[in-house]
Amino acid sequence: MAVATTRNGKAIGYVRVSSEDQNPERQLIGLSLDKIFTDKVSGKDVNRPQLQAAREYLREGDRLFVHSLDRLARNLIDLKTIVTELTGRGVVVMFLKEHLEFTSSEDAMSNLLLSV
């Protein structure tokens, strides 16, 4: 089992499936995380209880692991808002499927990759 290491903070996972009968376990398989927040609702907007709880829980130095971009948000505006908010607070956001990592270091390439 891979350990999701962090320097100062915790390794936190966020999982979202669209319905109760979908299996959320496969999204962060193989990672050893300190805490996982799981929503079983549509991703049509950001009003999801566990997403809100994760956003409140995360602190500077933490890493948020998400299976893929579409698990966090379904549209670009929501995605950029969440990632910008979290990285602005010193949280690193990792998307496993896309192999993307976003930090508080704002750069043009990160912005482009988030938008693609």
Side-chain angles (χ1 to χ4, degrees):
M1 183 173 286
V3 176
T5 59
T6 63
R7 291 185 189 148
N8 301 326
K10 295 181 179 180
I12 307 301
Y14 176 73
V15 173
R16 185 189 61 78
V17 292
S18 298
S19 63
E20 287 289 329
D21 61 333
Q22 290 180 317
N23 181 6
E25 302 300 319
R26 67 177 185 84
Q27 290 187 22
L28 299 176
I29 197 163
L31 293 179
S32 177
L33 300 167
D34 295 305
K35 188 167 182 66
I36 298 176
F37 293 87
T38 303
D39 273 316
K40 293 185 177 184
V41 296
S42 169
K44 66 180 178 173
D45 60 42
V46 295
N47 297 320
R48 292 173 257 150
Q50 290 300 296
L51 175 59
Q52 297 307 323
R55 290 167 80 177
E56 292 171 11
Y57 182 87
L58 288 158
R59 301 287 180 257
E60 182 177 359
D62 289 349
R63 285 183 178 263
L64 177 65
F65 292 85
V66 183
H67 175 70
S68 64
L69 295 166
D70 69 326
R71 299 294 89 195
L72 190 60
R74 294 299 277 290
N75 68 61
L76 183 58
I77 293 170
D78 289 345
L79 181 64
K80 287 181 101 173
T81 299
I82 295 167
V83 171
T84 301
E85 172 213 328
L86 294 175
T87 57
R89 293 179 18 215
V91 174
V92 175
V93 181
M94 312 274 301
F95 295 100
L96 303 175
K97 182 178 177 184
E98 294 86 1
H99 303 286
L100 295 174
E101 176 179 312
F102 296 94
T103 67
S104 59
S105 302
E106 184 75 24
D107 65 44
M109 185 56 79
S110 290
N111 242 342
L112 175 65
L113 290 172
L114 188 59
S115 300
V116 171

